[in-house]
Amino acid sequence: MLYGLFLIVPVFVALYLSLTAWAGFGSPIWVGLRNYQDLIGDAVFFSSVMNTVLYVLISVFVVVPAALLLATALNARGLRGRDLFRLVYFTPVVLSPIVITLVFSLFFDREFGVLNAVLRATFGFGGVDWLGDPWWARVVVAFLIVWRWTGYLTIFFLAGLQNIPRELYEAASLDGAGPVRQFCNVTLPMLRPVTAFVAVTVMVGSAQIFDEPYLLTRGGPGDATISVAMFIYREAFMRQQLGYAAAAGVLMFVGVFAIGRLANAVLGIGRDR
Amino acid sequence: MLYLSLIVLVLVFVLPLVWAAASSFKLRGDIFAYPPKLFPEHPTLHNYQTLLAEQPFWGWFAMSTVVALISTAVSVFVCSLAGFGFAKYRFKGKNFLFNVMFSSLAIPFAVIVVPLFIMLVRTGLNSPYFALIVPWVAPAFGIFMMRQFTEQSIPDELLESGRVDGCGEFMIFWTIVLPLLRPALGALAVWSFINSYNAFLWPLIIVGEPSQYTLPLGLGALFATENRQYDLVLAGSVLAAIPSLLLFIGLRKQLIDGLTAGAVKS
């Protein structure tokens, strides 16, 4: 029941705190729904939500299809070195996000970065301020999400693909279905449970992204890359607005819960149990 | 064509890591030499020597490793026990408990971070040694994974025969269930070691003293200083990546099988 103590109880404590103003000492002051009203008008919170939504959308619409594609390629009959490919694609998840982020921030550094140097050497230009430009900074964070998750999720699709009985494909090709029809009518339906799992995993994962924006850009330039998790951290532990941060947490919970429900409805998790 | 694209992707995944590892053997000026070179012309251990001499790297390393080992050991035990309970016993409120546990998979850590911090501070349990370990001893994912494995791989008859032989329930768990779960335990162990070893947000909140930094905190601090110490950060990253990479390479089959089993067959 330790488990409840460290997961369930905090959710209720968060609900209570979100209705108070508290700097971490003394007693919390009851303020009702004021934190929520303030959050709605808070431009930084708004951009943290929009950024997080962007990160989630990218993970669903880029990472999931890319992982499926990669898994299909790896599942090709007679492919050699499959285990080696699997190993390599899996590696980013094993490494600490810190290590990855630090390495990539050297890559994308404006003055010294390898990327700009390579661009300069091959195309003759390379002055892009990857991390200092709001738009590019978001692209870099998104790229890190794709880089970190794609290979990991590929593994699940691959396992799912290998579980599909060959007879189904043989039957389909007897019926005259080409590779594309086979993919749509056999592979996709058979993969639905795995797809649901993968989609929820990556959505919940990227909804709480913290390390990448924090280390790459401190949420900047301005607040261009700040995520909700980073917003909560900043309000709670740098500005001592614990009640306000808790309210942001409650809203995040509601958001993630809604996403989960939506995924449920669309992908039908558990429908065919 | 297929091989070509797979290999291009391998390069995308591996090149940054190879570049980082190779650069850790370059002197500071050469890391950003123009035009960029992948491998050092004059390999040197200077970065490693400076890192180990000037920074409490081994302290960070020890902190991370010890914390990760303890939380792994405890969570593997707790999760397999809880998973066994969920899989093989009928008790009042079981479905309710299981649903609560299962839905909590979707609770983002950022949601509970503030209350968790306050609870630990208020109860005086916010010492890093305690706080870095205890919240992670019963991860919902681990319990779920263990339940799946217990259901799939341990027949009820085996438990019955244990009872007939007069084993207590805990003895049955310890002598019959645990050995059969060994592959799953390996997967869970790697998973939880890597999670704990790589954690950043929670240690950032709970650890104040630089002497108690974990590796991610130490590396983050090196990077955050005024003149970013790229050279030392690279050397530190390479050293920091070694344990989880070794563990992963050694137990990759178990890890991948274990992780995918729960997802594919649920």
Side-chain angles (χ1 to χ4, degrees):
Chain A
M1 293 308 88
L2 261 179
Y3 171 73
L5 186 61
F6 289 103
L7 262 170
I8 310 300
V9 174
V11 173
F12 289 99
V13 176
L15 260 178
Y16 164 71
L17 276 175
S18 73
L19 303 171
T20 67
W22 198 34
F25 41 84
S27 337
I29 303 156
W30 184 264
V31 296
L33 292 175
R34 209 182 68 207
N35 286 327
Y36 291 97
Q37 285 166 353
D38 291 349
L39 276 173
I40 290 169
D42 187 330
V44 179
F45 181 65
F46 181 75
S47 65
S48 77
V49 171
M50 292 321 277
N51 287 334
T52 306
V53 168
L54 174 78
Y55 301 146
V56 170
L57 288 179
I58 284 169
S59 56
V60 175
F61 292 105
V62 180
V63 175
V64 173
L68 177 57
L69 201 68
L70 196 55
T72 315
L74 284 180
N75 196 39
R77 238 183 267 198
L79 180 78
R80 283 191 210 177
R82 181 177 295 133
D83 285 329
L84 189 66
F85 285 122
R86 268 204 323 180
L87 184 69
V88 169
Y89 296 145
F90 200 90
T91 308
V93 186
V94 178
L95 292 176
S96 162
I98 310 304
V99 168
I100 292 167
T101 315
L102 297 179
V103 167
F104 274 102
S105 66
L106 302 187
F107 247 71
F108 288 110
D109 191 282
R110 181 164 81 125
E111 275 173 74
F112 310 115
V114 178
L115 185 61
N116 274 345
V118 171
L119 285 178
R120 221 172 293 144
T122 40
F123 300 110
F125 71 92
V128 183
D129 190 0
W130 298 105
L131 299 174
D133 175 86
W135 177 244
W136 282 119
R138 282 191 203 110
V139 172
V140 172
V141 174
F143 173 78
L144 281 194
I145 293 178
V146 176
W147 195 82
R148 174 151 158 232
W149 286 94
T150 305
Y152 175 65
L153 297 176
T154 299
I155 306 301
F156 293 93
F157 277 129
L158 186 59
L161 285 172
Q162 290 174 342
N163 265 7
I164 301 177
R166 289 263 176 235
E167 298 85 63
L168 286 181
Y169 289 104
E170 281 154 19
S173 69
L174 279 182
D175 289 345
V180 177
R181 293 266 326 248
Q182 285 187 18
F183 185 78
C184 294
N185 292 343
V186 179
T187 311
L188 284 183
M190 291 299 287
L191 280 183
R192 205 178 63 188
V194 188
T195 312
F197 173 87
V198 162
V200 172
T201 307
V202 70
M203 280 194 286
V204 174
S206 55
Q208 33 185 333
I209 184 169
F210 173 83
D211 304 9
E212 285 89 347
Y214 180 82
L215 283 157
L216 267 180
T217 59
R218 302 275 145 173
D223 296 308
T225 55
I226 191 172
S227 68
V228 175
M230 231 194 110
F231 179 85
I232 295 173
Y233 170 77
R234 207 161 71 174
E235 292 302 322
F237 301 105
M238 293 167 84
R239 301 196 173 144
Q240 317 297 329
Q241 309 225 42
L242 294 167
Y244 196 51
V250 170
L251 290 185
M252 181 182 191
F253 182 61
V254 172
V256 171
F257 189 77
I259 294 176
R261 287 273 115 174
L262 194 71
N264 236 335
V266 175
L267 293 158
I269 302 168
R271 204 188 281 155
D272 38 10
R273 272 198 185 191
Chain B
M1 202 39 215
L2 177 65
Y3 282 100
L4 188 70
S5 33
L6 287 175
I7 289 168
V8 168
L9 274 171
V10 166
L11 289 181
V12 172
F13 280 101
V14 165
L15 217 51
L17 304 176
V18 172
W19 175 81
S23 296
S24 69
F25 297 101
K26 295 175 192 165
L27 285 176
R28 192 165 209 180
D30 293 341
I31 294 178
F32 299 116
Y34 182 86
K37 287 194 181 59
L38 185 55
F39 292 105
E41 277 176 352
H42 314 285
T44 163
L45 287 175
H46 178 260
N47 298 334
Y48 290 92
Q49 286 158 347
T50 320
L51 176 76
L52 299 180
E54 290 176 3
Q55 304 290 338
F57 183 86
W58 293 122
W60 302 338
F61 185 82
M63 191 72 188
S64 279
T65 320
V66 168
V67 162
L69 284 176
I70 297 176
S71 33
T72 301
V74 179
S75 81
V76 165
F77 177 73
V78 171
C79 289
S80 52
L81 195 55
F84 172 59
F86 274 128
K88 296 294 179 195
Y89 289 94
R90 289 165 189 281
F91 51 90
K92 226 178 157 189
K94 169 175 154 177
N95 278 333
F96 173 74
L97 272 182
F98 184 76
N99 283 332
V100 169
M101 196 264 317
F102 193 69
S103 11
S104 73
L105 272 172
I107 302 177
F109 181 62
V111 173
I112 57 164
V113 69
V114 175
L116 195 58
F117 174 76
I118 292 168
M119 286 160 63
L120 289 173
V121 171
R122 279 282 159 120
T123 47
L125 295 173
N126 56 331
S127 117
Y129 302 100
F130 184 83
L132 287 179
I133 294 171
V134 173
W136 313 121
V137 298
F141 176 76
I143 298 178
F144 177 67
M145 182 169 141
M146 285 300 138
R147 188 195 82 126
Q148 299 294 98
F149 265 99
T150 314
E151 272 193 340
Q152 282 159 22
S153 60
I154 298 178
D156 287 336
E157 295 78 42
L158 211 57
L159 306 181
E160 275 314 315
S161 71
R163 285 185 193 118
V164 170
D165 289 348
C167 277
E169 293 303 311
F170 187 76
M171 275 301 280
I172 290 178
F173 169 71
W174 193 253
T175 56
I176 301 177
V177 178
L178 271 190
L180 286 173
L181 282 179
R182 202 181 293 150
L185 296 176
L188 180 60
V190 184
W191 180 82
S192 90
F193 182 90
I194 287 172
N195 272 353
S196 167
Y197 186 80
N198 290 343
F200 181 64
L201 175 56
W202 182 240
L204 183 68
I205 290 163
I206 212 73
V207 182
E209 285 284 309
S211 63
Q212 294 171 331
Y213 275 0
T214 59
L215 267 174
L217 289 182
L219 292 178
L222 267 188
F223 194 66
T225 48
E226 227 9 62
N227 55 338
R228 297 190 155 187
Q229 310 207 42
Y230 292 122
D231 39 3
L232 301 191
V233 167
L234 282 172
S237 300
V238 169
L239 290 180
I242 290 175
S244 37
L245 275 183
L246 284 183
L247 200 61
F248 169 58
I249 291 171
L251 289 170
R252 65 181 181 280
K253 200 176 158 354
Q254 288 183 356
L255 178 66
I256 292 175
D257 290 351
L259 286 179
T260 51
V264 177
K265 291 171 196 150
S266 64

